[in-house]
């Protein structure tokens, strides 16, 4: 049996969803029998090639997030939004009602311990958006797996359903937004 | 200058009987005399009326014409119906702003003038048009705007402006039984009194008169039910909140046939046993107020209103005029009643219907202006005469307000059953491609359907008839309407409050050339939710213009779609602009190019 | 003889004047809702309880039951509409569940769980809304307000205070309070008011009680809202 190719990434997220993925513990052995990881924090591969499933944690808060997300969409047959941030913007979206200029001032001018702070303008730094957006506002998303993070069991159930070609279905206890 | 110095608050409140139910009228007068409704006025009103401040604030913040911040000595509101736009409103507005060195939605630096848009003001036959401090000026062109700008620069009080600016001709192009025949005030009432209440109701019944507001409920059934309903008092309410964009036929009736309307209300009062009638006049028709009041005064003098009308012992009835304050939703009868009671105009849960539980929770007949005019004619000339006009299911005549791409826009009175094609010939619309019948909430018909008929059994209408030629972009027509509905949604129910704004945003996205087939499906989905779950007619029909134009003019949409699959919900590169300004960056990585 | 109607084929008895919602609740049948609460006058604004009444759609909380009426509620089509309405409520405000102390006890969230909502789907509005922390005991977090007007009704009809109201219109509608400053602290709101408890979301919450029960052990964490109807939904005893 050919293994399913899976890529994962974290955009404006905290990697908590990835930690929850690792939290499936001993089932990881079963997982790697069925799945081969392409780009992922787990493999440290930097770009993803053609994949069966792409799993995206985190929302879109800057230009680089868009590049990564679009690469995933181009390469992944099925794209999954995993966790509150990817689905609603989540905790990073708490900044959405703060003016971006105020954010920069707070971070680079008035932050504790800063002296003569300057706003960085290096082209290597991704430029932030006015607001943080869920990923379905940037590319088409096929499946949503909510939770902050989704419980390990939910991720397992979701992935095994998908791998088996079933429509993923979560029991009540596995569906959470927090 | 503190507001209370220029505004006699206690006087206004006393004039409205210290009754919180008259709050919209009180706020209107405050707004008219001080130009704003400042926050401390709300506190004073709360004390004077002995109601919680929060109630006053709810009402004051609901209506478009009320505002807490100053709009200067001259508030200019350009009517923003698609018809105004087709007549060059945008360019004229820009011209006007440049002449006065100002920006829309920003009070001029000298605090003198403020310019903004407003929903259709009932002058589509004389578009573009505007309101100056609530008074309508039709048929705008550069010359007229130059004059307005001069008057403003000279700080001339509105009362000293040339009256010709405010002249609004009827543009009655085709008279009929309501608009073309002489009517002697009192004629209908005399006939009704001679006949008796019951027999008058029987005549209304025999006439097959159906409500002219669009829904077409049988008038006699409504009156009979209200007459039977028990209550401390019965009320007659005339719905003159003619807010449907493109409609202006009630303007014509009220301007030149007010006796007919008031007489119809009085006949109704006789039938249902009411002592008070209320005419709810849309705020945009402020021009008509004094004239209507003088008609009422004349009728009182003639014994057609007041006590013992026409000598009939115990037949006491009078009519008050309430002005609206910029809220289309108040055309919905239960929202209108809420507004008459001093509240935000949000439609009530129905049943109970107003005929049993209306104004002040008492039995109330609410009818359209034209319905009352018809009722007066029926009382005068009998039900059989009326029933013989029109078609079997749609008796009588119908006033049509024609605007847009035609040579002779104006008011036309037809027997029901007339074809769209005939109307188009009569008004000189040689190149008609589409007609929006009954306004944005009505039906958009294409040139393939011009043999359809104006009648309840085919194209039901409240009266609007907007003509669009081949050159017009039907997408832009629909987009204008989605903006209208999003602005006018009362915000009570979830689907309409959120759905109308979602629709507007998607239409704007398409207009910006960033739409996809995904967005088209989204709009269909939102339409489905609105139609099924919205609280009132506004929500049920708010997506109609989009869905109908999508179906009948697919090219107008398809040419705008950037791609078939999916496009981001927001402008990716635009969302980086603030950060570019802050960091001073403009390098390749500071942009997101389109794919 | 008792009058009855059918709800999804089940015979439901009702008393004259009862709404479909009241009769269904008394019979132990759940119809999703947010703005309805048995203690208060039916409102009919959230539209989640939309049911099919003999071929016509209407709100179960405002439509009265009638003899022989055929009502459908648990259909895939109606639940899809309810899901869309819930999604509209989510994108309209700023509902960031992981940062909300009401999470797990929130009815908006619970209804969304019940309907199997996986994403808010529509484009977020991310409106700018004020948080009012001025009151010593009660926090007003307008980002989470769904405009159900339960607090408006509770304050007016039970507390007799009129602390709350709705200002503005359309998408700009917002919760306002009864003070010239616009601050909750300057109203006569008290933490013991009924209005302080009745909010279905985390828009009005008592301060210093946020985490007495940890996340994961809260009401809707393991119980579908259909199984834990709001207290008082049973028919009042005569």
């Amino acid at each position: 049996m050919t293994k399913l190719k899976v890529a994962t990434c974290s955009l404006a997220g905290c990697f908590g969803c990835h930690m929850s993925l690792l939290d499936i513990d001993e089932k990881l052995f079963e997982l790697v029998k069925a799945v081969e990881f392409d780009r992922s924090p787990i493999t440290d591969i930097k770009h993803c090639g053609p994949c069966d499933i792409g799993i995206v944690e985190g929302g879109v808060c800057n230009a680089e997030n868009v590049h990564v997300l679009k690469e995933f969409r181009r390469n992944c047959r099925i794209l999954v939004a995993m966790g509150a941030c990817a689905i609603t913007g989540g905790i990073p979206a708490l900044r959405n009602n703060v003016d971006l200029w105020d954010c920069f001032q707070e971070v680079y001018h008035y932050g504790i311990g800063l002296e003569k702070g300057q706003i960085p303008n290096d082209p290597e730094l991704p430029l932030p958006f006015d607001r943080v957006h869920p990923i379905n506002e940037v590319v088409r998303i096929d499946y949503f797996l909510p939770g902050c993070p989704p419980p390990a069991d939910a991720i397992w159930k979701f992935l095994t359903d998908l791998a088996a070609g079933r429509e993923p279905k979560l029991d009540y206890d596995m569906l959470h937004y927090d | 200058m503190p507001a209370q110095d220029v505004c006699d608050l206690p006087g206004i409140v006393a004039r409205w009987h210290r009754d919180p139910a008259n709050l919209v009228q009180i706020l209107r007068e405050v707004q008219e005399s001080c130009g704003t409704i400042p926050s401390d006025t709300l506190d004073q009103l709360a004390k004077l009326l002995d109601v919680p401040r929060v109630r006053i604030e709810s009402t004051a913040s609901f209506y478009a014409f009320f505002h807490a911040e100053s709009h200067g000595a001259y508030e200019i509101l350009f009517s923003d119906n698609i018809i105004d736009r087709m007549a060059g409103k945008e360019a004229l507005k820009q011209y006007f702003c440049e002449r006065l060195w100002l920006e829309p939605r920003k009070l001029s630096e000298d605090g003198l003038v403020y310019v903004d848009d407003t929903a259709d003001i009932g002058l589509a036959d004389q578009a573009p048009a505007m309101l100056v401090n609530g008074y309508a000026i039709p048929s705008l062109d550069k010359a007229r705007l130059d004059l307005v700008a001069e008057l403003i620069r000279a700080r001339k009080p509105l009362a000293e402006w040339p009256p010709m600016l405010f002249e609004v001709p009827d543009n009655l192009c085709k008279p009929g039984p309501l608009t073309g025949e002489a009517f002697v005030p009192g004629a209908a009432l005399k006939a009704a009194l001679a006949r008796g209440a019951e027999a008058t109701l029987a005549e209304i019944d025999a006439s097959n008169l159906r409500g002219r507001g669009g829904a077409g409920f049988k008038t006699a059934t409504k009156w009979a039910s209200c007459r039977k309903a028990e209550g401390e008092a019965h009320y007659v309410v005339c719905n003159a909140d003619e807010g449907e964009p493109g409609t202006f036929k009630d303007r014509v009736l009220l301007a030149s046939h007010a006796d007919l309307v008031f007489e119809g209300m009085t006949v109704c009062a006789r039938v249902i046993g009411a002592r008070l009638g209320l005419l709810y006049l849309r705020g945009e028709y402020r021009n008509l107020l004094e004239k209507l009041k003088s008609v009422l005064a004349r009728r009182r003098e003639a014994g057609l209103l007041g006590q013992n009308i026409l000598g009939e012992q115990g037949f006491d009835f009078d009519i008050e005029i309430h002005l609206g304050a910029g809220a289309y939703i108040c055309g919905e009868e239960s929202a209108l009643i809420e507004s008459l009671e001093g509240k935000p105009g949000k439609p009530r849960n129905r049943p109970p219907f107003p005929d049993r539980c209306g104004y002040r929770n008492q039995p109330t007949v609410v009818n359209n202006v034209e319905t009352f005019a018809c009722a007066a004619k029926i009382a005068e000339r009998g039900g059989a005469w009326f029933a013989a006009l029109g078609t079997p299911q749609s008796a009588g005549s119908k006033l049509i307000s024609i605007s847009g791409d035609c040579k002779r826009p104006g008011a036309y009175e037809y027997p029901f059953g007339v074809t769209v094609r005939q109307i188009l010939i009569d008004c000189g619309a040689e190149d008609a491609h589409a007609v929006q019948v009954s306004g944005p909430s009505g039906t958009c018909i294409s040139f393939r359907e011009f043999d359809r008929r104006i009648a309840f059994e085919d194209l039901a209408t409240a009266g609007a008839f907007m003509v669009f030629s081949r050159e017009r972009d039907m997408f832009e027509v629909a987009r204008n309407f989605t903006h209208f509905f999003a602005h006018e949604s009362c915000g009570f129910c979830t689907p309409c409050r959120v759905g109308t704004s979602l629709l507007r945003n998607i239409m704007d996205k398409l207009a910006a050339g960033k739409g996809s087939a995904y967005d088209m499906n989204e709009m269909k989905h939102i339409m489905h939710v609105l139609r099924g779950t919205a609280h009132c007619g506004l929500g049920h029909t708010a997506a109609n213009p989009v869905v109908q134009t999508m179906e009948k003019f697919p090219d107008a949409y398809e040419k705008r779609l950037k791609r078939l699959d999916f496009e981001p919900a927001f402008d990716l590169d635009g969302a980086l602009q603030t950060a570019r300004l802050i960091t001073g960056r403009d390098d390749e990585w500071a942009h997101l190019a389109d794919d | 003889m008792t009058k009855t109607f059918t709800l999804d084929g089940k015979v439901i008895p009702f008393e004259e004047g009862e709404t479909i919602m009241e009769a269904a609740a008394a019979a132990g049948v759940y119809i999703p809702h947010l703005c309805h609460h048995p203690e208060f006058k039916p409102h009919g604004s959230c539209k989640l309880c939309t049911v099919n009444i003999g071929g016509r759609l209407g709100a179960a909380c405002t439509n009265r039951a009638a003899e022989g009426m055929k009502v459908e509620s648990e259909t895939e089509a109606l639940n899809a509409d309810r899901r869309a309405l819930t999604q509209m409520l989510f994108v309209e405000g700023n509902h960031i569940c992981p940062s909300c102390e009401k999470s797990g006890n929130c009815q908006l969230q619970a209804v969304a769980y019940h309907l199997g909502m996986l994403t808010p789907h529509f484009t977020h509005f991310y409106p700018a809304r004020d948080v009012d922390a001025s009151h010593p005991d009660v926090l007003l977090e307008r980002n989470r307000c769904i405009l159900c007007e339960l607090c408006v009704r509770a304050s007016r009809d039970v507390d007799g205070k009129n602390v709350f109201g709705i200002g503005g219109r359309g998408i700009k509608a917002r919760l306002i309070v009864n003070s010239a400053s616009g601050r909750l602290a300057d109203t006569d709101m008290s933490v013991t008011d009924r209005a302080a408890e009745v909010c279905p979301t985390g828009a009005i919450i008592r301060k210093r009680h946020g985490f007495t029960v940890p996340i994961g052990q809260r009401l809707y964490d393991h119980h579908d809202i259909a199984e834990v109807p709001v207290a008082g939904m049973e028919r009042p005893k005569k």
Side-chain angles (χ1 to χ4, degrees):
Chain A
M1 192 185 105
T2 48
K3 285 186 173 183
L4 278 178
K5 260 205 153 169
V6 175
T8 76
C9 67
S10 178
L11 308 177
C14 69
F15 282 92
C17 297
H18 277 83
M19 300 311 286
S20 197
L21 169 64
L22 296 177
D23 233 10
I24 60 175
D25 295 335
E26 74 281 3
K27 292 194 195 109
L28 275 170
F29 293 108
E30 265 178 74
L31 185 68
V32 289
K33 273 188 230 158
V35 160
E36 182 190 341
F37 281 97
D38 191 288
R39 172 186 165 145
S40 167
I42 301 167
T43 59
D44 210 26
I45 297 171
K46 302 297 185 199
H47 290 279
C48 85
C51 285
D52 297 296
I53 302 172
I55 300 175
V56 181
E57 171 192 337
V60 176
C61 79
N62 63 32
E64 195 238 353
N65 292 157
V66 172
H67 293 301
V68 175
L69 185 57
K70 285 192 169 175
E71 182 179 290
F72 265 66
R73 180 68 279 182
R74 274 196 302 275
N75 285 292
C76 303
R77 203 163 49 79
I78 295 171
L79 200 56
V80 181
M82 172 167 67
C85 302
I87 294 173
T88 70
I91 299 290
L94 284 170
R95 83 150 157 97
N96 282 358
N97 290 316
V98 183
D99 185 76
L100 197 57
W101 173 238
D102 292 341
C103 284
F104 270 84
Q105 295 252 64
E106 187 63 31
V107 172
Y108 296 111
H109 284 160
Y110 306 128
I112 295 166
L114 278 184
E115 263 181 68
K116 291 185 189 165
Q118 287 183 342
I119 289 171
N121 59 2
D122 192 315
E124 290 211 345
L125 292 172
L127 214 54
F129 282 130
D130 294 342
R131 288 165 162 189
V132 180
H133 294 263
I135 62 173
N136 67 312
E137 293 184 10
V138 177
V139 297
R140 192 196 276 275
I141 299 299
D142 302 302
Y143 292 101
F144 298 86
L145 175 54
C148 186
D153 289 346
I155 298 175
W156 175 249
K157 172 75 165 51
F158 189 87
L159 285 177
T160 46
D161 277 353
L162 264 190
R166 285 189 299 264
E167 192 66 19
K169 191 154 173 28
L170 298 178
D171 292 339
Y172 188 89
D173 277 349
M174 289 187 195
L175 177 59
H176 285 283
Y177 303 155
D178 57 10
Chain B
M1 201 168 15
Q4 56 267 37
D5 290 352
V6 286
C7 173
D8 171 24
L9 216 50
I12 293 172
V13 169
R15 231 179 357 267
W16 289 98
H17 323 300
R18 292 186 161 267
D19 186 349
N22 293 327
L23 183 57
V24 175
Q25 303 314 305
I26 291 168
L27 289 169
R28 267 207 69 97
E29 292 198 8
V30 172
Q31 171 90 52
E32 265 198 40
S33 53
C34 22
T36 66
I37 303 175
S39 178
D40 59 344
T41 305
L42 301 187
D43 293 301
Q44 293 163 36
L45 280 176
K47 281 198 196 83
L48 287 166
L49 293 167
D50 194 25
V51 293
R53 180 199 149 93
V54 75
R55 245 190 80 186
I56 313 243
E57 191 179 346
S58 281
T59 299
S61 59
F62 182 85
Y63 295 89
F65 290 170
F66 297 155
H67 41 83
E69 65 294 340
S70 169
H71 283 185
Y74 303 97
E75 183 199 52
I76 312 274
L77 301 175
F78 282 84
S79 179
D80 192 32
N81 184 6
I82 185 70
I83 301 295
D84 296 289
R85 288 185 165 240
M86 282 156 45
K89 168 246 165 189
E90 279 298 287
L92 285 170
K93 182 175 143 194
Q94 202 185 337
Y95 173 79
F96 183 72
C97 287
E98 280 164 12
R99 285 228 42 174
L100 286 170
W101 292 84
L102 47 83
E103 267 179 67
R105 287 166 188 260
K106 217 176 136 196
L107 184 61
S108 64
E109 278 182 26
D110 51 8
L112 194 63
V113 50
Y114 178 92
V115 173
D116 198 358
D117 287 344
T118 190
D120 180 283
I121 62 173
L123 285 164
D125 56 332
Q126 298 161 56
M130 69 185 189
L131 298 175
V132 181
N133 292 353
Y135 290 86
I137 299 184
S139 305
L140 297 177
D141 55 21
K142 283 188 178 174
R144 278 162 83 83
L145 288 175
D146 286 342
L147 177 55
V148 170
E150 250 171 67
L151 291 163
I152 288 176
R153 278 225 193 87
R155 305 190 180 220
K156 264 237 157 97
L158 209 61
E160 293 169 26
W161 288 24
M164 64 91 179
L165 274 177
F166 302 96
E167 269 166 27
V168 176
D170 282 350
N171 279 344
L172 178 65
C173 300
K174 188 178 186 305
L178 297 182
T179 50
E181 295 174 10
F183 176 73
V184 182
L189 260 179
K190 274 179 202 144
L193 287 174
R195 214 183 266 127
E198 201 128 343
T200 302
L201 182 58
E203 288 299 323
I204 303 284
D205 188 32
S207 75
N208 284 326
L209 173 63
R210 293 168 70 173
R212 289 335 195 209
F217 192 78
K218 198 172 171 193
T219 305
T221 309
K222 194 185 265 189
W223 290 18
S225 163
C226 184
R227 176 179 157 87
K228 256 194 296 186
E230 282 177 28
E232 292 158 18
H234 287 57
Y235 295 98
V236 179
V237 171
C238 177
N239 184 346
D241 192 56
E242 183 175 52
E244 192 72 45
T247 316
F248 49 82
K249 48 103 186 165
D250 291 344
R251 182 197 84 211
V252 176
L253 282 175
L254 292 167
S256 303
H257 309 275
D259 268 302
L260 205 53
V261 178
F262 290 139
E263 191 131 337
M265 290 175 73
T266 315
V267 168
C268 176
R270 183 64 180 158
V271 169
I272 66 166
R275 296 166 61 91
L276 179 65
L278 296 151
L279 177 90
Y280 188 91
L281 182 68
R282 69 182 304 218
E284 291 80 349
Y285 289 172
R286 176 70 183 79
N287 297 34
L288 293 172
L289 181 64
E290 275 74 27
K291 194 170 171 190
L292 289 171
K293 278 186 175 169
S294 72
V295 174
L296 287 178
R298 181 167 47 68
R299 290 181 67 83
R300 276 182 208 113
E301 267 171 44
L304 299 172
L305 283 175
Q307 299 203 319
N308 304 324
I309 291 172
L310 286 175
E312 182 84 5
Q313 283 302 310
F315 180 23
D316 305 340
F317 179 70
D318 212 326
I319 296 174
E320 265 181 28
I321 302 176
H322 278 226
L323 268 173
Y328 164 73
I329 187 60
C330 291
E332 196 280 343
E333 61 177 8
S334 65
L336 184 146
I337 289 169
E338 289 283 295
S339 185
L340 284 174
E341 294 179 359
K343 294 179 254 177
K346 297 182 186 179
R348 293 176 175 176
N349 283 307
R350 301 180 306 167
F353 290 91
D355 54 0
R356 283 181 42 218
C357 181
Y359 180 61
R360 295 178 191 259
N361 295 326
Q362 299 303 316
T364 304
V365 161
V366 185
N367 274 143
N368 180 264
V369 171
E370 190 181 347
T371 313
F372 282 123
C374 291
K377 291 300 283 191
I378 294 161
E380 186 193 6
R381 300 189 55 177
W385 161 78
F386 191 85
L389 300 166
T391 76
Q393 282 152 285
S394 310
S397 65
K398 182 77 196 87
L399 270 167
I400 307 286
S401 325
I402 301 178
S403 64
D405 294 317
C406 62
K407 291 203 182 90
R408 292 173 294 279
Y412 291 66
E413 188 175 348
Y414 283 103
F416 266 117
V418 63
T419 62
V420 170
R421 195 177 302 283
Q422 183 62 50
I423 298 175
L424 290 170
I425 292 168
D426 293 349
C427 70
E430 282 146 20
D431 193 26
H433 194 57
V435 178
Q436 186 74 28
V437 178
S438 203
S441 69
T443 316
C444 178
I445 60 166
S446 81
F447 55 92
R448 295 181 193 87
E449 308 165 81
F450 285 171
D451 289 320
R452 292 182 66 179
R453 290 170 190 280
I454 300 293
F456 292 110
E457 60 270 31
D458 188 359
L459 288 167
T461 178
F465 192 95
M466 295 186 265
V467 184
F468 303 101
S469 74
R470 207 166 302 274
E471 285 79 54
R472 301 298 176 188
D473 182 347
M474 294 309 289
F475 170 86
E476 279 302 328
V477 173
R479 188 163 81 96
N480 178 266
F481 295 162
T482 59
H483 276 255
F484 170 76
F485 284 123
H487 185 259
E488 298 300 333
S489 167
C490 81
F492 174 77
C493 75
T494 310
C496 181
R497 186 178 67 240
V498 185
T500 53
S501 282
L502 286 171
L503 267 181
R504 175 201 58 200
N505 294 351
I506 297 175
M507 287 297 274
D508 285 352
K509 183 184 174 193
L510 260 66
K514 305 211 179 258
S516 69
Y518 177 92
D519 297 305
M520 302 278 280
N521 284 330
E522 277 295 275
M523 291 200 286
K524 286 183 195 158
H525 174 47
I526 294 164
M527 179 225 47
H528 168 82
V529 176
L530 273 170
R531 208 169 264 177
T533 66
H535 185 62
C536 76
L538 191 158
H540 291 147
T541 56
N544 282 3
V546 175
V547 175
Q548 291 173 359
T549 50
M550 240 192 236
E551 201 177 285
K552 294 176 185 181
F553 305 97
D555 295 356
Y557 287 80
E558 275 155 24
K559 71 178 184 200
R560 288 193 155 78
L561 302 188
K562 190 167 175 200
R563 65 189 81 229
L564 286 179
D565 178 39
F566 185 92
E567 272 296 301
F570 61 101
D571 173 9
L572 298 177
D573 190 60
L576 292 172
Q577 177 62 15
T578 319
R580 278 195 294 266
L581 287 173
I582 293 172
T583 58
R585 279 177 55 187
D586 199 24
D587 54 87
E588 181 194 347
W589 294 99
H591 286 275
L592 280 166
D594 282 342
D595 299 322
Chain C
M1 230 180 70
T2 330
K3 292 182 174 176
T4 62
F5 68 98
T6 62
L7 178 56
D8 294 324
K10 189 181 168 186
V11 177
I12 307 280
F14 71 96
E15 288 167 18
E16 196 57 44
E18 266 184 336
T19 62
I20 295 169
M21 176 74 84
E22 285 161 348
V29 179
Y30 173 72
I31 300 173
H33 60 271
L34 283 167
C35 73
H36 178 72
H37 190 294
E39 273 180 49
F40 306 106
K41 216 175 111 191
H43 193 56
S45 69
C46 78
K47 301 296 174 197
L48 248 74
C49 71
T50 300
V51 289
N52 189 321
I53 309 163
R56 175 181 65 83
L57 297 186
C61 70
T62 54
N63 278 275
R64 292 200 172 158
E67 177 69 38
M69 191 182 242
K70 283 192 173 56
V71 182
E72 286 182 351
S73 174
E74 278 303 313
T75 68
E76 188 35 56
L78 283 170
N79 278 330
D81 286 349
R82 290 168 183 153
R83 202 150 45 234
L85 292 170
T86 311
Q87 288 168 325
M88 285 182 178
L89 289 171
F90 266 87
V91 298
E92 182 194 18
N94 296 302
H95 297 280
I96 302 178
C97 297
S99 73
C100 179
E101 51 275 64
K102 192 69 178 273
S103 195
N105 290 326
C106 167
Q107 289 175 38
L108 174 66
Q109 194 186 51
V111 163
Y113 290 166
H114 172 80
L115 295 167
M117 183 190 108
L118 299 173
T119 160
H121 176 81
F122 297 110
T123 301
H124 283 72
F125 287 81
Y126 292 129
R129 290 189 184 170
D130 297 331
V131 180
D132 182 349
S134 63
H135 194 282
D137 305 314
V138 180
L139 178 72
L140 184 53
E141 223 302 13
R142 289 189 176 84
N143 288 296
R144 304 166 184 162
C145 177
I146 56 168
L147 302 161
C148 68
E149 297 191 40
L150 273 168
C151 59
V152 177
R153 287 176 274 167
S155 185
R156 183 188 61 211
D157 302 339
V158 179
D159 304 327
K161 286 186 177 179
N162 289 292
V163 169
F164 297 103
I166 302 295
R169 82 173 184 213
I171 197 71
K172 292 180 182 159
R174 61 192 183 275
L175 189 62
I176 55 173
V177 300
N178 193 31
S179 66
S181 65
R183 287 166 16 119
L184 191 61
D186 298 328
T187 68
D188 51 358
M189 174 94 192
S190 152
V191 71
T192 54
D193 286 356
R194 191 74 185 94
E197 297 167 8
V198 79
C199 180
T201 74
I204 300 173
I205 48 175
R206 292 161 71 201
K207 288 183 174 176
R208 297 176 295 278
H209 291 267
F211 293 94
T212 43
V213 179
I215 296 230
Q217 296 174 25
R218 296 180 176 186
L219 184 59
Y220 304 119
D221 283 340
H222 305 287
H223 298 284
D224 191 313
I225 192 168
E227 297 159 15
V228 279
V230 180
M233 285 295 278
E234 66 280 1
R235 184 178 289 135
K237 300 238 166 21
K238 293 263 156 60

